[in-house]
Amino acid sequence: MDGTWNDAAEQALDDFNWNNLFFLKPIVVVNGQRKVDGPLVNSLRDADPRALKPATP
């Protein structure tokens, strides 16, 4: 990961949130830096890759 964030990344996270979370956790911008909810990041990091489905266009 190179730390860049684009519209496609934002949409992918929004789609994941919509499909997997009861309470949506939007990205917020603080002093020009994007912040992602900590527990959401932990769950994404700890996810079993075999349980994730590839994105479809």
Side-chain angles (χ1 to χ4, degrees):
M1 296 176 63
D2 63 7
T4 59
W5 195 261
N6 57 28
D7 291 339
E10 184 79 26
Q11 186 62 51
L13 185 59
D14 285 344
D15 292 345
F16 178 86
N17 287 345
W18 178 256
N19 289 311
N20 294 287
L21 301 176
F22 186 74
F23 297 106
L24 297 179
K25 304 287 188 178
I27 302 298
V28 295
V29 178
V30 178
N31 295 327
Q33 186 177 22
R34 292 180 187 267
K35 304 284 186 175
V36 180
D37 182 65
L40 174 60
V41 170
N42 292 342
S43 69
L44 290 169
R45 181 197 63 211
D46 297 340
D48 181 353
R50 295 171 295 178
L52 301 176
K53 180 176 144 183
T56 55

